[in-house]
Amino acid sequence: RSRYPSAQTRLDGRRNALEELLAPLNDPDLAAERRAAIEQAVQRDVHDLAAIAACSVLPQEHALRQAAVALMKAFVAVTATPGSEEELALPEVSHRSPLAPWKLLVRAIGHFYRHEDERSRECVEAIPRESAPARLVPAIRAMLGDKAAPLTPAAARLVPAIAGNSESLRNALEKLDRAFHADSGEKRILQDVKAAVYECSRHAPALLERLKQHISVRCAMTDLEKGKVAAAMGGGASHGAYFWRLWARSLELTNDAENILTACAMWESFRQNAIQEGWFSPNGQEAATLYLHMAGLLRTIPESELDEVQHAALAKSGNRPSDDQVFFIFPEKLYERACTLDPHFEAFSKWLEWAKGQKGWQAEQVAKAWHKIRPTDIEPILHLMHDAAKRNAFPTALQFLTKAERIDTVNPSVRRARLQLLASSAIKHLQQKKAHLAQQKLAEIAGLPQAQQGDRPAFVQALRYLTSSVGGDREAAAGHRAEIERLLGGKVAAWLLLWGVAAAAKHTLLEQIDRPEKLDKSERAAIPAGLARVVALAADMNAMKLDVPWPYVDEASKQLARDSKPLDASQLRALAESGVCASHRELAFAATKAGLERGGPTEARFLLLRAKSLPEGDTGRGAICATAAAELARAQRDMQLVEEAVEFSRGKFGPLALDLSLEQAAEVVRKERAEIRFPRFAGEGPNYRNLFPKDLCQCPQCRRERGESVSPFEDFDVDDELEELFEEFAIPPDMPPEIARMLFEETKRAAMNGESLDTLLNRVLGGMGPRRKSKKGRRR
């Protein structure tokens, strides 16, 4: 009206015509045929929702006006943002309303911007062809990529204004991506960079700066010269928060120690720029979350390697910066800042978990800081309690336990802790030969209801046995020993428990324990079950480090290999874990063999124990078993086992992680279940080369396939010093592995028989050994 005064008459005429059309709808007695004709005219001819919403001849609460107002708001919403399902519902517009086609149009536009093309097509197809919104149907179909009838000049201008002419830009970006992926060389990549930037400037200029940032980071990761890249792009990219975040993410995904350290520096640059650009406040939860993420990245680097890269980073800086200037390369600094800004439970948990793996007093300091800031959290109190108990500071430990009992008396760890601390205190008094003080602790233990659960009464009787032994009361000691045999169901388990408790209290038993070979057949067969029961009891009491005579451990391994049926899964797990802790890998292997044969949900746990029971040098098989265990545990939602298995696998291969499917994990279980014998040397056992990425597997076969040089002695376990001797005697590197194995076996046999190396080599190699002059000048 203001720009074209001459059109006022026409506009007034349209408004008057619309009022004349809609006015009869106020008559409640209007004939149905007349009402239908008016509604059909509205649906076919009225293109201005605002005019209907502002039509004064209809009352404001009229359904048609309300529907027009709702459609106007929804139309503005879906053309500004993708819109939510609530905004697209439009309950004010019924499907019988003359404005129902507009409801379908609004939904089609909303689904289009949400990239729900099929739903958008369904809405477009449902719009009646004779309705006013149908004018936009060909344009929307064209934007969806459908072949449609030729567009009107107005629609032809509308489509590229909304969707853009992105085909040439998409092609240029795909070509550039292929060049990066194929490592096509500097010249080719720079040409494709120039073409992609040109197409983006033509068809999507608003995205040009973001594209430059992506290209800059990708070229930096490909080691292209920065100046040449900037020249190809027609200018360098801006270094804002988005750029630093993009570069940090690219570096951390490489899983390289130096790159991860650099990524932490990039995240710090991102934090500073994000604060300047108003992304978040400097002391808010976002910054704390970022600090935790950086600390988590540093934790993926092995400790020894982290020390090296930290020293290298400090040396590069030249001027010896303070720790506060480069805090982002120290996990303890990052955790401290995160917990200061946002002292929540998860942040402190991660900090304490990291500190437990460090030397010194860091874990205790973290637990104290946690307890000071969050005094009602029970985790730091339990840690301080256990730490005091390890230092034999039992009064201090009992004070922390009292605090924990005030917070949560039903916590299983709290309920068990008092019994464990009193038992540990009694053992300490027995070490000091203070039998009267041990008796006092035993009296307190007897008053605890939890002391009567499971096999715990046998442990209490073992302490009483030692108290009587220290006091010289042999008769009472014999009675306690008989009670232990009754509680544990046999002499073997009773003797093993008494031996372990006596070793913890630094006392000798009144009677000598029989060697396994002196026991009868039934008693020897009961050793695995008795050992498992005692191991589980010692772990439950947590009052001592169980010491078992090695002959009994060895005999348990033999008996378990013969018959494991009497033991249940929990006993087998206890034996496997005790074998791992005692470095008796044969026992652990036999227990995992029996456990894997049982199948069921315990397979993942026994597979991880199998990984820990393998020979020290068998890293490949161990990593495969641990990775398969993690995958099986993930399917069972046992996240604690997943974390334990992932940490073990990372310890074998560092940050480079293996990736197995559930079917491959099941294949590992089948192969390990079929192994009945403990491997004599690293590399013996199932062949998992097909499961290793070629850049990870270091077995001789995969190294040969990569064209790397392989010594024939790498096909089996050969000592480095022995390999140097073989090289000194000029054994050819292309010797067949079968001949190398024969030579290795002959060397082992000669060493066991006391034969000299010269005699061996002259005998086996027929004079190929080194020639040395004797004192008399003769050559031998």
Side-chain angles (χ1 to χ4, degrees):
R1 286 177 176 273
S2 60
R3 183 171 295 182
Y4 304 104
S6 60
Q8 290 184 15
T9 305
R10 294 171 59 193
L11 290 173
D12 290 339
R14 281 192 178 187
R15 183 179 63 183
N16 295 335
L18 180 63
E19 291 177 352
E20 290 175 4
L21 176 65
L22 299 181
L25 295 178
N26 285 320
D27 185 3
D29 299 326
L30 183 66
E33 294 82 3
R34 176 62 176 157
R35 182 179 298 275
I38 294 174
E39 290 179 348
Q40 185 176 6
V42 170
Q43 179 178 330
R44 181 183 64 246
D45 300 326
V46 177
H47 301 86
D48 190 356
L49 292 173
I52 298 177
C55 185
S56 59
V57 298
L58 294 177
Q60 192 170 0
E61 63 274 9
H62 195 277
L64 192 62
R65 285 189 66 178
Q66 290 183 347
V69 171
L71 285 168
M72 286 176 57
K73 293 180 180 178
F75 201 98
V76 172
V78 298
T79 52
T81 63
S84 62
E85 289 292 341
E86 291 77 12
E87 291 172 333
L88 299 180
L90 290 170
E92 300 89 350
V93 185
S94 70
H95 67 281
R96 294 183 179 181
S97 171
L99 300 181
W102 289 91
K103 180 177 180 178
L104 292 170
L105 176 65
V106 168
R107 287 183 172 180
I109 295 172
H111 291 312
F112 168 78
Y113 281 118
R114 292 165 65 175
H115 301 282
E116 299 169 352
D117 292 356
E118 289 303 321
R119 298 182 68 180
S120 181
R121 288 188 181 93
E122 292 174 3
C123 294
V124 166
E125 293 295 332
I127 296 176
R129 294 184 178 180
E130 68 278 3
S131 64
R135 291 173 58 188
L136 279 173
V137 168
I140 296 177
R141 284 179 175 171
M143 288 186 287
L144 290 171
D146 299 339
K147 293 183 179 179
L151 301 177
T152 63
R157 292 192 301 271
L158 178 65
V159 170
I162 294 176
N165 184 13
S166 60
E167 189 65 27
S168 59
L169 175 58
R170 183 180 294 109
N171 292 337
L173 293 176
E174 289 177 353
K175 187 178 179 182
L176 176 59
D177 200 39
R178 287 194 299 270
F180 277 122
H181 185 71
D183 196 11
S184 301
E186 181 182 276
K187 184 176 180 181
R188 171 68 182 278
I189 291 175
L190 292 178
Q191 289 176 350
D192 292 341
V193 165
K194 188 174 183 179
V197 170
Y198 173 73
E199 293 295 336
C200 185
S201 63
R202 288 182 57 202
H203 304 297
L207 300 177
L208 181 59
E209 189 54 42
R210 287 289 173 88
L211 176 62
K212 285 185 175 183
Q213 291 173 332
H214 279 266
I215 291 174
S216 297
V217 171
R218 190 69 181 270
C219 289
M221 297 299 296
T222 318
D223 293 330
L224 293 182
E225 188 178 336
K226 183 179 178 180
K228 293 181 179 180
V229 174
M233 294 191 302
S238 61
H239 291 184
Y242 184 87
F243 172 81
W244 294 114
R245 183 179 66 179
L246 190 64
W247 198 354
R249 285 290 296 149
S250 300
L251 286 170
E252 69 181 42
L253 292 175
T254 63
N255 291 321
D256 178 76
E258 291 186 8
N259 285 345
I260 288 176
L261 209 67
T262 307
C264 290
M266 299 300 103
W267 279 120
E268 173 58 15
S269 298
F270 160 74
R271 185 188 68 86
Q272 295 176 1
N273 282 267
I275 292 171
Q276 292 177 0
E277 295 173 21
W279 288 31
F280 49 78
S281 63
N283 297 321
Q285 293 181 349
E286 298 86 353
T289 303
L290 187 58
Y291 290 141
L292 287 178
H293 177 71
M294 294 158 70
L297 288 177
L298 294 176
R299 288 187 63 179
T300 63
I301 306 175
E303 196 65 32
S304 58
E305 196 171 350
L306 178 60
D307 290 339
E308 293 179 6
V309 293
Q310 283 175 339
H311 284 101
L314 292 174
K316 269 185 188 177
S317 59
N319 55 355
R320 304 289 297 173
S322 64
D323 289 352
D324 289 336
Q325 290 176 309
V326 288
F327 70 92
F328 46 82
I329 66 175
F330 297 105
E332 62 272 22
K333 298 287 185 181
L334 292 167
Y335 280 124
E336 183 180 1
R337 290 186 176 222
C339 292
T340 301
L341 295 181
D342 188 16
H344 60 83
F345 175 85
E346 291 78 7
F348 274 113
S349 296
K350 292 179 179 179
W351 190 8
L352 183 59
E353 181 186 357
W354 168 84
K356 287 179 181 178
Q358 307 303 308
K359 298 178 182 178
W361 301 83
Q362 291 201 50
E364 182 182 1
Q365 292 172 353
V366 172
K368 287 181 177 178
W370 184 355
H371 180 53
K372 182 178 180 180
I373 296 177
R374 298 177 60 93
T376 58
D377 286 351
I378 200 168
E379 283 74 12
I381 299 175
L382 292 177
H383 176 82
L384 292 169
M385 178 191 71
H386 291 306
D387 188 67
K390 287 179 183 178
R391 294 184 279 107
N392 290 333
F394 294 109
T396 304
L398 288 170
Q399 290 177 4
F400 283 118
L401 176 59
T402 304
K403 287 185 178 181
E405 288 173 338
R406 293 197 195 109
I407 297 172
D408 188 358
T409 56
V410 298
N411 187 300
S413 299
V414 175
R415 290 173 60 85
R416 190 169 57 246
R418 184 165 290 277
L419 174 62
Q420 293 173 345
L421 289 176
L422 290 174
S424 299
S425 181
I427 290 176
K428 179 185 177 183
H429 292 320
L430 289 172
Q431 290 175 353
Q432 299 169 345
K433 297 183 179 181
K434 298 177 181 178
H436 64 289
L437 296 178
Q439 288 282 9
Q440 294 176 7
K441 299 300 179 185
L442 282 171
E444 292 185 50
I445 291 173
L448 298 176
Q450 56 265 36
Q452 309 305 319
Q453 299 171 356
D455 286 337
R456 292 171 182 172
F459 188 87
V460 176
Q461 289 295 330
L463 291 178
R464 287 175 176 164
Y465 171 91
L466 284 182
T467 305
S468 301
S469 176
V470 171
D473 191 348
R474 288 179 171 270
E475 185 177 350
H480 294 314
R481 186 194 66 198
E483 181 65 13
I484 295 171
E485 291 181 8
R486 185 189 68 81
L487 291 170
L488 295 182
K491 183 174 72 172
V492 172
W495 276 116
L496 291 175
L497 177 60
L498 286 173
W499 177 280
V501 175
K506 298 180 180 179
H507 280 277
T508 57
L509 297 176
L510 294 176
E511 303 89 356
Q512 289 294 326
I513 187 169
D514 294 330
R515 293 184 63 83
E517 57 268 18
K518 292 184 179 182
L519 302 176
D520 59 36
K521 186 176 180 180
S522 61
E523 289 175 334
R524 288 199 303 271
I527 290 177
L531 178 59
R533 200 166 179 178
V534 172
V535 166
L537 179 57
D540 177 49
M541 295 303 298
N542 195 31
M544 63 180 187
K545 181 180 180 182
L546 184 64
D547 185 11
V548 178
W550 190 261
Y552 274 81
V553 178
D554 203 25
E555 186 65 26
S557 175
K558 296 175 183 177
Q559 296 295 332
L560 188 61
R562 293 191 185 110
D563 184 16
S564 62
K565 293 180 181 178
L567 280 74
D568 58 27
S570 62
Q571 291 175 312
L572 291 173
R573 175 179 172 179
L575 286 176
E577 290 175 344
S578 63
V580 170
C581 293
S583 298
H584 197 297
R585 299 180 184 275
E586 290 83 356
L587 174 61
F589 188 91
T592 57
K593 173 183 176 297
L596 289 172
E597 288 174 350
R598 305 291 171 88
T602 59
E603 279 182 343
R605 172 61 64 181
F606 281 111
L607 196 58
L608 178 58
L609 289 169
R610 170 62 61 87
K612 296 179 178 180
S613 70
L614 295 171
E616 191 66 32
D618 204 347
T619 56
R621 183 178 173 187
I624 285 289
C625 289
T627 305
E631 188 61 34
L632 293 172
R634 193 173 288 111
Q636 299 167 2
R637 300 182 183 275
D638 188 350
M639 302 315 297
Q640 181 179 358
L641 180 55
V642 170
E643 185 177 354
E644 186 179 346
V646 169
E647 286 297 323
F648 181 82
S649 180
R650 184 179 292 125
K652 291 293 182 182
F653 275 106
L656 290 176
L658 298 172
D659 187 19
L660 299 181
S661 65
L662 196 58
E663 293 75 14
Q664 290 172 323
E667 177 189 353
V668 173
V669 172
R670 288 192 295 270
K671 288 185 176 182
E672 291 297 331
R673 189 183 292 137
E675 291 296 310
I676 61 176
R677 187 179 65 181
F678 181 75
R680 295 170 298 175
F681 51 83
E684 183 183 19
N687 183 357
Y688 292 124
R689 285 201 300 270
N690 62 316
L691 301 181
F692 270 100
K694 289 299 181 182
D695 58 340
L696 285 183
C697 185
Q698 298 298 320
C699 74
Q701 181 65 25
C702 289
R703 290 175 60 191
R704 287 191 184 97
E705 292 175 2
R706 294 197 295 266
E708 299 177 11
S709 60
V710 179
S711 168
F713 307 106
E714 292 189 35
D715 286 287
F716 48 95
D717 193 18
V718 178
D719 186 85
D720 292 340
E721 184 177 355
L722 185 59
E723 186 172 342
E724 292 177 5
L725 288 174
F726 286 155
E727 293 175 357
E728 178 185 349
F729 297 134
I731 295 177
D734 56 350
M735 174 186 287
E738 296 79 7
I739 304 301
R741 180 179 295 278
M742 290 173 58
L743 179 57
F744 179 58
E745 294 296 335
E746 285 292 333
T747 305
K748 286 204 311 184
R749 190 176 297 109
M752 295 181 67
N753 294 333
E755 187 178 359
S756 69
L757 189 59
D758 286 348
T759 305
L760 165 69
L761 293 176
N762 280 303
R763 175 171 59 80
V764 176
L765 304 179
M768 289 175 56
R771 297 179 178 271
R772 301 175 183 172
K773 289 185 178 182
S774 66
K775 293 181 179 180
K776 296 182 179 181
R778 293 194 302 268
R779 302 184 68 86
R780 59 176 183 174

